[in-house]
Amino acid sequence: MFGIEFVPSDPVLKLAYYTKLAEDNGFDNVWITDHYNNRDVYTTLAVLAQNTNRIKLGTGVTNPYTRNAAITAQSIGAVNEISGGRAVLGIGPGDKATFDAMGIEWEKPMTTVSETVSVLREFLSGKKVSHQGERVNINGAKLAFKPGNIPIYIGAQGPKMLELSGKIADGVLINASHPKDFEFAIKQINAGVKAAGRNPKDVDVGAYACFSIDKKEDRARNEAKVVVAFIVAGSPDAVLERHNIDVAAKKSIGDAIAKGDFGALMGGMVTDDMIDAFSICGTPDTCNSRIKELKKIGVTQIIVGSPIGPDKEKSIKLIGKEIIGGK
Ligand code: F42
């Protein structure tokens, strides 16, 4: 399966155009990110629903802190209804920095995700929900409509979150691009699958990847550099070490980002090794061979994330023709 990520930092109608193009080029899922400073994810999904016929529409990902579980259930339920059953809910612990800015305390992220997913399933199935958990409290709330069975995906990177996903989620969205990261992640997911007595096939494993494609290798690689810089700056040391990347580079790249010194990033700070570790990037042939490796390890959905390519429209068409069409 193939998915595509869009960030509603772009106007919603522009994303509607790209999403229709992605649908016409064979993509199965669109994932819309959720951050308070961009357009609202559910409004965006509603517009996408009206402009497409087949593609599945997911939050990629929302979080359990900015919205009560009842509100998340009513919103995704409405998207499911207007799209004829195409909604998918991606949820993750969220991003501490944005919660700090909003004055929201980020406590026990894993427990909060776990309790929220269980409560969401009850709301979606039309039940009256009562849950007095460690982090989630619902006192007899019930939706006045029954959204039905909407798949729930968890955005996860950490070992415990991955294991939790294997236990309770229909899919996992993993921000990574390299086989080494997926060898680690799938081991963790499978531990959860086993502990819960599930079948590994019950969990769709998504590579939520920094992706850049172009007919010219160097154009694709150049376009990926800024996104890769942000990934390096935000990666735990263990992840950098897994890819033999100098941990000190994290600070210098972080400083360059803070100063807005994109010239330095483009001019050599972001190395080829970093691009290889943190993106799927290059010509259709290069991308296809990485995708083949990932599928062999157990990745079941490739999600084409930012930047997609130097020219989004051409890149979506190139993926449709040379990757999805040629699979
Ligand atoms: N975040 C957003 O805010 N918006 C997005 O649109 C978005 C998209 C997205 C897509 C894919 C994806 O993989 C992630 C995405 N994210 C997005 C980020 C996501 O929300 C998370 O921030 C990200 O996945 C990081 O999660 P993580 O798996 O690293 O989990 C964190 C919380 C972590 O520390 N996990 C640890 C682990 O080992 O997995 C476990 C922490 C733990 O055990 N905590 C205990 C608990 O109960 O929570 C408490 C421990 C204690 O002592 O208090």
Side-chain angles (χ1 to χ4, degrees):
M1 279 207 297
F2 285 86
I4 191 159
E5 172 214 51
F6 291 118
V7 181
S9 51
D10 273 328
V12 175
L13 295 181
K14 191 169 172 186
L15 298 191
Y17 175 78
Y18 283 140
T19 301
K20 181 70 185 125
L21 189 67
E23 176 174 270
D24 291 344
N25 278 279
F27 283 88
D28 306 284
N29 280 268
V30 62
W31 298 98
I32 302 297
T33 62
D34 182 11
H35 293 100
Y36 78 88
N37 49 331
N38 291 330
R39 281 85 176 161
D40 167 63
V41 64
Y42 295 105
T43 317
T44 304
L45 289 172
V47 171
L48 302 189
Q50 298 289 281
N51 278 277
T52 53
N53 304 304
R54 180 192 58 78
I55 200 164
K56 289 191 186 134
L57 307 157
T59 52
V61 299
T62 190
N63 68 77
Y65 290 92
T66 50
R67 292 177 177 90
N68 181 282
I71 304 300
T72 297
Q74 66 163 192
S75 301
I76 201 70
V79 172
N80 201 45
E81 186 175 286
I82 62 175
S83 65
R86 290 185 283 139
V88 185
L89 185 80
I91 188 163
D95 171 11
K96 184 176 184 311
T98 58
F99 296 147
D100 284 347
M102 295 170 85
I104 294 174
E105 282 181 33
W106 198 59
E107 277 177 23
K108 297 241 170 181
M110 192 174 73
T111 309
T112 311
V113 169
S114 174
E115 290 183 9
T116 301
V117 168
S118 124
V119 157
L120 278 170
R121 288 226 164 89
E122 293 189 52
F123 276 121
L124 296 175
S125 66
K127 287 190 186 141
K128 182 172 176 181
V129 185
S130 287
H131 179 100
Q132 276 73 46
E134 195 182 337
R135 293 284 308 140
V136 176
N137 274 299
I138 307 279
N139 306 310
K142 183 178 183 299
L143 297 186
F145 70 112
K146 184 176 163 184
N149 187 18
I150 297 173
I152 300 183
Y153 283 57
I154 294 182
Q157 263 72 242
K160 287 190 192 162
M161 280 294 299
L162 288 161
E163 196 177 331
L164 173 74
S165 307
K167 282 184 190 156
I168 65 169
D170 300 301
V172 197
L173 301 172
I174 306 160
N175 259 155
S177 307
H178 195 278
K180 276 188 193 168
D181 296 314
F182 287 99
E183 274 162 12
F184 167 82
I186 290 170
K187 212 171 90 195
Q188 293 305 121
I189 294 168
N190 285 343
V193 162
K194 200 170 161 202
R198 303 175 76 201
N199 185 330
K201 290 200 174 111
D202 296 341
V203 185
D204 183 17
V205 178
Y208 210 95
C210 163
F211 200 104
S212 179
I213 189 167
D214 193 86
K215 284 183 179 161
K216 293 209 168 84
E217 187 86 21
D218 58 336
R219 266 172 55 89
R221 291 180 83 83
N222 259 333
E223 191 66 25
K225 279 183 182 169
V226 172
V227 180
V228 168
F230 275 91
I231 297 173
V232 171
S235 288
D237 292 355
V239 172
L240 298 176
E241 280 159 8
R242 188 184 296 153
H243 294 285
N244 299 320
I245 287 167
D246 180 12
V247 173
K250 178 168 146 176
K251 184 171 181 319
S252 42
I253 287 183
D255 289 347
I257 291 173
K259 275 192 270 172
D261 189 356
F262 292 96
L265 296 175
M266 299 300 288
M269 270 183 126
V270 178
T271 63
D272 280 337
D273 286 351
M274 291 173 190
I275 296 173
D276 289 335
F278 297 116
S279 70
I280 300 176
C281 178
T283 62
D285 278 353
T286 320
C287 294
N288 265 326
S289 67
R290 172 64 69 88
I291 290 168
K292 208 167 143 193
E293 279 182 83
L294 295 179
K295 283 186 175 168
K296 210 168 141 195
I297 297 170
V299 170
T300 45
Q301 181 170 170
I302 304 290
I303 296 137
V304 170
S306 302
I308 303 176
D311 178 325
K312 272 199 183 56
E313 188 157 340
K314 279 190 189 157
S315 298
I316 292 168
K317 288 180 183 164
L318 201 56
I319 295 167
K321 186 157 174 260
E322 304 283 347
I323 296 187
I324 301 177
K327 72 187 164 184

